[in-house]
Amino acid sequence: MMALSTQSNFADPDAAYRLIVEAHRGISDEQSAALDAALVLVLANHIGDLGVLGEALALAKKSVNAAPKPPQ
């Protein structure tokens, strides 16, 4: 089993971020959620390792749970 890499593997991390942001530009919230879900499935398949995928999901969920909650 490979280990989850949490350091940037991009030569230009800002360009990678811009690609993701630009992919969402001009689409609805519903389309944006569908794009994110499709991207997760494509990248999960690329990883191809359930252990690494589990680590990635746990890390992502931890960051979501730690994020401040919007006022209601």
Side-chain angles (χ1 to χ4, degrees):
M1 178 174 104
M2 69 175 94
L4 178 66
S5 172
T6 57
Q7 295 182 337
S8 179
N9 291 316
F10 290 103
D12 186 352
D14 291 337
Y17 179 78
R18 282 191 300 274
L19 277 174
I20 294 168
V21 170
E22 286 300 318
H24 289 82
R25 191 175 307 279
I27 62 177
S28 70
D29 289 347
E30 185 177 277
Q31 290 170 315
S32 183
L35 173 62
D36 287 343
L39 181 60
V40 166
L41 292 173
V42 168
L43 294 176
N45 182 65
H46 177 75
I47 291 168
D49 184 305
L50 289 176
V52 173
L53 180 59
E55 281 184 69
L57 287 167
L59 184 61
K61 192 169 183 178
K62 182 178 176 183
S63 71
V64 168
N65 288 337
K69 305 279 189 272
Q72 294 182 1

